[in-house]
Every structure is written in C-alpha cells, then in structure tokens.
Amino acid sequence: MQDLIGTGVALVTPFNAQGAIDHEALSRIVNHQVDNGVDYLVVLGTTGESVTLSKEEKQEVIKTIKKANDGRLPLVIGVGGNDTAVVVNELKTANLEGFVAVLSVSPAYNKPTQEGIFQHFKAVSEASPLPVILYNVPGRTGSNMAVETVVRLSQFDNVVAIKEAAGDLVQAMNMIQYTPKDFLVISGDDMIANAMTLAGGAGVISVIGQAMAQDFSDMIRYSLNGDVGESYELHYKIAASIDMIFEQGNPCGIKALLHHLGLCDDSVRLPLVKVDEDLSSRLKSFLDQYEN
C-alpha cells in the first residue's frame, strides 16, 4: 500500500455561519493539500465531524472532494462505529468507488475487551471490499488496542495498516517491531509523528498538516529518508501550533487556523463550539510569526 506512505490529511467539513456545508471552501481545502505536497486525503473521519453529518450530507461531501481532487491524490474513507453489525452492513452496501482504503475506528463507548476488539475488526475485515486501516484512538474510544491485538489483526490479508493515536511512542514502536514488515504503522498523533516515522513508521494521518501542509509533509518526507536534523527543524517550527489546535478540541482548533489562512469559516456543529477569542488570537499570532 504505497499510497498510504507519507502524509495523509484528515479533512475538515467546512460550514457556513448558518451551519450548512460550505462546498466551495471544501474544494479550496482539497486544492490546498494537493498544491502543498500532501500524499493522500482522508474523508469523513472524526476531524470531518462525521458524527453530525446526515447520510445525505456525507454523500455531498464525498462528491465535492472527489470533484475537487480529480484523481490527483489517493482517497481513504472513514467507516466505523460501535455497532459491528451496522459497520459491516455499511461496508457491504456503500459505494466505495474511488477510494483506496477504509479507515475504521475501534468501537467507542462500549469499551470492549481485547477479544471484542479483535472480533469486531475480524468482521470488518471479512466485510470490507477495500484494504482496512485500523484506528486506535483511546482518548475518544475509551479503550486502547493492545499491541498483541494489532499483531493478531495484522495477519488478515486486507488489514494493511493502523492509525496509531494513543500518544504512546513505546507502544507505537512495539507495533512497528512485532507486526509484519509490510504492515504500516501510521501516526495519528501529530506531535510524535516525526519520531514515529523515524522509528520505522509509515508517516502520518494528520490534522495540523491540513494547515501547514507544505512544511509538515516535507517533515515526514525527511523522516522517511532518515534525514533527522532536517525533519526535527520543521517539527520544532510547527510544534507550538499542534498543542494549540487541540487545546479546545478537534476540529475546533484546526478550523480556527484554517479560517486565519482564509480557507474556510471556523464554524463547527454542536456539541462542539468555536475556540474562544484568546486561543484564536494566539493562533493568529503564531501564523503571523510563522509566515514572516
């Protein structure tokens, strides 16, 4: 899965002040990624506020992204949930044409055991017509995918990668060490993405990369090539913004930064709210200094 090596970006879903999807802004954001070195795009992930989009809106988002992308970058689609039967049915019935892989998050709220997580993804693997990227994000799901569980799942032919977002570099390194050589361990944590990649990871599915697309994707390219000094120079240039965009939740922070870049409005859907004026001002100050 060479398409999944490098920098993937989890796209936001821009809204206007009335809360409707801003398709023009979404097209601008797609073009910003393509023009600034990003390697692939992730559609309808958590950052895209997929949980507050209707089925019809999700189809509209997919249509807009495909049209704007025009086949230039590989596309990954998020298909996950906490009801295995529903996820399986979606994978069997959805039109997945134009996508190279499915990103599927570990079940949230139920807090299954490791065996439950394994059986869930076994069913996902059997149902999916596309390669599957596992997604471990304990901060959202309430349960961690153990290294041993990931190793077991990596034995399925179409389970090709994991987006590892536990924020635990040792756990990520163990996944890299004990899974097959062709299994991709992709960082889902922007702050340790460089370190994970230098340790043998396959890159990142990023949030901050959506705004700092050129430098962040260059950073990952440097780390994939083993250019440690160059990669960390860019990491430290960007690092402060990573902390800030997650300070008041995702995608609230990244939308504020994208707003300051003139790419979209900073509106989000309840229960999320815009970042406060203080954080917005600090993000603007960071951007002003970054660009000078």
Side-chain angles (χ1 to χ4, degrees):
M1 289 298 295
Q2 292 295 311
D3 286 340
L4 303 178
I5 296 175
T7 299
V9 160
L11 294 169
V12 301
T13 302
F15 303 120
N16 60 26
Q18 289 73 44
I21 297 171
D22 186 339
H23 292 278
E24 186 178 332
L26 182 54
S27 296
R28 277 197 302 273
I29 289 168
V30 170
N31 284 315
H32 182 71
Q33 312 313 307
V34 175
D35 294 341
N36 288 282
V38 166
D39 296 299
Y40 62 98
L41 305 175
V42 178
V43 182
L44 296 178
T46 306
T47 303
E49 294 176 77
S50 55
V51 293
T52 57
L53 297 177
S54 68
K55 287 184 179 180
E56 293 75 19
E57 286 176 324
K58 288 179 180 179
Q59 292 307 308
E60 292 171 7
V61 165
I62 290 170
K63 183 178 179 181
T64 297
I65 292 171
K66 282 184 174 181
K67 183 177 179 181
N69 181 53
D70 194 25
R72 292 177 291 175
L73 295 181
L75 301 178
V76 172
I77 187 166
V79 181
N82 65 345
D83 184 332
T84 305
V86 170
V87 177
V88 164
N89 182 65
E90 185 174 354
L91 287 167
K92 287 181 175 179
T93 59
N95 178 7
L96 301 177
E97 183 181 355
F99 293 96
V100 300
V102 165
L103 176 67
S104 196
V105 69
S106 185
Y109 193 75
N110 314 55
K111 297 183 73 172
T113 62
Q114 293 302 308
E115 184 60 26
I117 292 171
F118 174 80
Q119 292 297 336
H120 169 84
F121 280 117
K122 179 175 184 286
V124 166
S125 168
E126 291 169 348
S128 179
L130 294 176
V132 175
I133 307 168
L134 311 171
Y135 183 12
N136 183 38
V137 57
R140 287 188 180 273
T141 64
S143 60
N144 180 51
M145 292 179 66
V147 173
E148 293 79 8
T149 303
V150 176
V151 171
R152 290 176 71 194
L153 290 166
S154 70
Q155 306 306 311
F156 292 108
D157 288 342
N158 69 334
V159 177
V160 299
I162 184 168
K163 178 184 178 184
E164 169 54 23
D168 183 338
L169 186 56
V170 173
Q171 175 167 287
M173 291 171 71
N174 285 334
M175 288 180 185
I176 293 165
Q177 181 177 0
Y178 294 114
T179 53
K181 294 296 183 185
D182 59 352
F183 183 83
L184 306 179
V185 179
I186 300 166
S187 178
D189 185 316
D190 285 338
M191 191 59 83
I192 63 172
N194 191 48
M196 275 183 63
T197 306
L198 286 166
V204 64
I205 294 176
S206 176
V207 177
I208 193 62
Q210 193 157 190
M212 308 303 183
Q214 189 66 67
D215 279 350
F216 202 81
S217 58
D218 282 348
M219 178 192 79
I220 295 298
R221 271 186 281 275
Y222 279 131
S223 54
L224 285 168
N225 289 332
D227 298 324
V228 180
E230 292 90 340
S231 70
Y232 270 111
E233 183 177 349
L234 289 173
H235 167 84
Y236 289 121
K237 181 181 178 183
I238 297 166
S241 68
I242 297 172
D243 282 334
M244 283 192 283
I245 64 164
F246 293 109
E247 193 175 306
Q248 294 179 18
N250 183 44
C252 312
I254 190 63
K255 278 191 168 181
L257 197 54
L258 292 169
H259 175 65
H260 290 313
L261 285 168
L263 291 171
C264 69
D265 193 71
D266 58 352
S267 296
V268 290
R269 284 183 174 174
L270 287 171
L272 301 180
V273 295
K274 295 181 182 183
V275 303
D276 62 27
E277 290 185 13
D278 173 68
L279 180 53
S280 180
S281 177
R282 284 187 282 126
L283 285 166
K284 179 66 163 63
S285 295
F286 171 86
L287 200 58
D288 290 343
Q289 293 172 4
Y290 189 89
E291 292 176 337
N292 293 328

